[in-house]
Amino acid sequence: MTVTRFAPSPTGYIHVGNLRTALFNYLIARKTGGTFILRIDDTDPDRSKQEYVDAIMQDLEWLGLTWDRVERQSQRLDRYHAAADALRGMGRFYEAFETPTELDLKRKKQLNMGRPPVYDRAALDLSEAEKDRLREERGAGVWRFKLDQQRIEWADGILGDISIDAASVSDPVLIRADGQVLYTLASVVDDTEMGVTHVVRGNDHVTNTATQIQIIEALGGTPPAFAHHSLLTGPQGESLSKRLGTLSLRDLRAQGIEAEALLSLMARLGSSQPIELRMSLDEIADGFDLSQFGSAPTKFDVNDLFPLTARKLHGLPFSEVAEDVAALGVPAEKAELFWHVARDNITTRADLAAWWTLFSQGAEPRIAEEDRAFVTEAMALLPDPPYGPETWSRWTAAVKEATGRKGKGLFMPLRRAVTGRDRGPEMADVMPLLQKKPHL
């Protein structure tokens, strides 16, 4: 059975970059009838917050990305320490004591010599006496996994065949000096013990994947099928890393973006398939094909979400927005008519408020000076509400007869006087919704 996972760290809100990872793993599981695990990677006690765990779940539920079970790494620390003991027992785990400054000097020296800046494994040459002395002087060291310095290869679901020379990669630190278990080890243990079969994540993890494959194999596991999607950039190709905090899912939701718009865009962005609005996750899953995605950086423009949001709203039946309309104070007998009149003229649900203000309180009229006398005469011919579906045609016919105006010269000044706008719904539909006679 297919098993996938989304493993966010609860140190902040989910943003659009995280969403691609969550969505791809979710769709793979759903398309195959598999299991989708939400795994909270909270091994960092200082930065992990329960408020972010709650927010992650709320954001995923808003999108409909429901999980089959939840796991928390903070509750599995004993499993990671057992794995660390196993690695020590087989001679694949060693303690190292270099300070950050010493490591930086080593890297600079290697670069100056034209060598890759990888850890030189000096700690492997330390005697037990030297280790004891360093522990007394500096405290506990970090624990590194000893890589087999050979090529690590896998067939990536997006990038194709990957081959990385382990000699060009530093032995990864798996446990910090303060005892904190790092992502690389915890992820390996969890993926192995939870039976994860497919892992999709950003291509900034490719080197991590190489080292994790060796750790998985050292612990007797079978690596999952890996795929690495491209990273998002801004619309001009600029880095999004500094802006991701403003592109959180809750910020997009607050801007009125609809869940289906966001999912439809993210399920196709960076692929060879056209972006099309889909109204359900089942539809999105049916058309999802990981092999259609490329490795090039993918441009993301938040403005692309608004036309998709508008398209979704334009097709919604009244039953889907009845609560939104009622919250505006629209009378029940006018509510459905209001929605059918307003929906083709909004981009987000928040735009409904301005339309109801117009219908209930009236608009600030826009009257050109050359039309003022004409509009004043026309308004004298308009009775007080309530108005019906025939009001517009009867009124404009009376105005035409009284003034001799016709065509655009008749209709446009009256539209502007009533709605304050050049464009919008059919005026025959607007008039029955007006609660007050337009004022000049």
Side-chain angles (χ1 to χ4, degrees):
M1 181 178 73
T2 300
V3 179
T4 67
R5 46 77 164 177
F6 174 50
S9 296
T11 57
Y13 298 118
I14 300 178
H15 52 67
V16 290
N18 305 135
L19 174 57
R20 291 186 90 204
T21 300
L23 180 59
F24 287 11
N25 286 289
Y26 173 90
L27 292 174
I28 290 171
R30 284 295 174 264
K31 195 166 184 176
T32 58
T35 297
F36 176 63
I37 300 171
L38 173 59
R39 192 176 75 213
I40 306 299
D41 284 10
D42 57 351
T43 57
D44 186 338
D46 295 327
R47 298 179 63 224
S48 298
K49 308 292 183 187
Q50 182 59 39
E51 65 185 278
Y52 292 128
V53 176
D54 296 339
I56 287 166
M57 292 181 171
Q58 290 164 6
D59 288 340
L60 293 179
E61 286 172 341
W62 169 57
L63 293 168
L65 302 183
T66 53
W67 49 90
D68 296 295
R69 72 177 200 259
V70 177
E71 301 281 356
R72 294 188 70 142
Q73 289 190 333
S74 58
Q75 298 172 359
R76 292 176 48 78
L77 297 178
D78 59 328
R79 303 303 307 143
Y80 311 142
H81 290 301
D85 288 341
L87 292 174
R88 289 188 190 96
M90 62 183 76
R92 299 294 296 276
F93 215 27
Y94 63 95
E95 194 173 9
F97 299 89
E98 288 87 354
T99 65
T101 300
E102 289 170 342
L103 290 173
D104 188 50
L105 289 173
K106 287 186 178 187
R107 282 191 291 267
K108 289 178 179 177
K109 182 177 180 180
Q110 288 168 318
L111 287 170
N112 288 336
M113 296 173 66
R115 296 175 181 172
V118 300
Y119 179 60
D120 61 8
R121 294 182 163 178
L124 289 174
D125 297 327
L126 295 174
S127 67
E128 290 303 319
E130 287 172 318
K131 291 177 187 178
D132 289 339
R133 178 179 57 78
L134 286 167
R135 288 191 193 100
E136 287 183 13
E137 293 175 357
R138 303 183 178 189
V142 301
W143 285 87
R144 291 179 179 268
F145 175 72
K146 185 181 178 184
L147 290 165
D148 280 335
Q149 293 189 330
Q150 59 191 25
R151 299 207 75 83
I152 305 169
E153 299 178 336
W154 72 93
D156 194 275
I158 293 176
L159 303 178
D161 291 336
I162 301 291
S163 179
I164 292 179
D165 183 0
S168 68
V169 180
S170 291
D171 289 343
V173 175
L174 303 189
I175 299 179
R176 292 195 332 190
D178 62 4
Q180 182 187 326
V181 176
L182 296 183
Y183 162 85
T184 309
L185 176 60
S187 182
V188 160
V189 174
D190 289 346
D191 287 346
T192 302
E193 295 188 356
M194 295 174 190
V196 172
T197 60
H198 293 74
V199 173
V200 184
R201 54 190 180 183
N203 62 20
D204 53 336
H205 283 284
V206 168
T207 301
N208 286 343
T209 295
T211 59
Q212 286 178 330
I213 285 174
Q214 275 208 11
I215 301 169
I216 291 170
E217 291 174 341
L219 291 171
T222 301
F226 286 100
H228 295 82
H229 61 69
S230 60
L231 301 183
L232 296 179
T233 72
Q236 269 70 57
E238 71 274 22
S239 171
L240 273 190
S241 57
K242 293 182 180 179
R243 291 185 51 217
L244 283 175
T246 64
L247 292 174
S248 70
L249 301 196
R250 53 195 42 225
D251 286 339
L252 295 177
R253 187 179 184 182
Q255 292 177 55
I257 299 301
E258 294 286 319
E260 293 81 0
L262 186 55
L263 292 168
S264 295
L265 180 69
M266 286 300 166
R268 293 286 181 88
L269 194 66
S271 79
S272 59
Q273 297 173 292
I275 293 169
E276 299 169 332
L277 179 67
R278 292 289 181 261
M279 294 298 284
S280 74
L281 276 162
D282 285 341
E283 284 184 70
I284 292 172
D286 285 343
F288 181 72
D289 185 352
L290 199 63
S291 69
Q292 299 297 307
F293 287 82
S295 60
T298 299
K299 293 181 180 179
F300 169 78
D301 188 344
V302 69
N303 292 319
D304 291 339
L305 291 167
F306 289 98
L308 290 168
T309 288
R311 203 174 310 155
K312 183 228 170 158
L313 294 177
H314 297 172
L316 283 186
F318 171 68
S319 59
E320 296 285 329
V321 296
E323 291 185 8
D324 298 282
V325 173
L328 297 173
V330 182
E333 68 275 12
K334 297 281 188 180
E336 190 161 0
L337 174 62
F338 168 73
W339 170 245
H340 288 297
V341 170
R343 68 178 175 182
D344 288 338
N345 297 277
I346 61 173
T347 299
T348 70
R349 293 177 196 241
D351 297 336
L352 287 171
W355 282 106
W356 181 241
T357 298
L358 185 157
F359 295 144
S360 61
Q361 302 300 319
E364 188 63 37
R366 290 175 51 223
I367 305 171
E369 197 55 44
E370 63 269 21
D371 291 326
R372 188 163 297 280
F374 162 72
V375 172
T376 300
E377 184 177 356
M379 285 300 175
L381 297 172
L382 179 65
D384 290 331
Y387 301 128
E390 303 300 323
T391 298
W392 175 254
S393 61
R394 290 174 180 168
W395 179 38
T396 53
V399 173
K400 178 180 179 181
E401 184 175 346
T403 65
R405 285 217 190 189
K406 57 185 179 180
K408 188 175 181 180
L410 167 67
F411 299 118
M412 186 58 75
L414 296 184
R415 172 184 281 279
R416 289 172 176 159
V418 172
T419 69
R421 303 173 183 233
D422 290 337
R423 292 177 295 278
E426 292 292 331
M427 291 302 295
D429 296 327
V430 168
M431 298 304 289
L433 289 167
L434 296 180
Q435 306 297 292
K436 299 178 180 180
K437 181 175 178 177
H439 63 276
L440 298 182

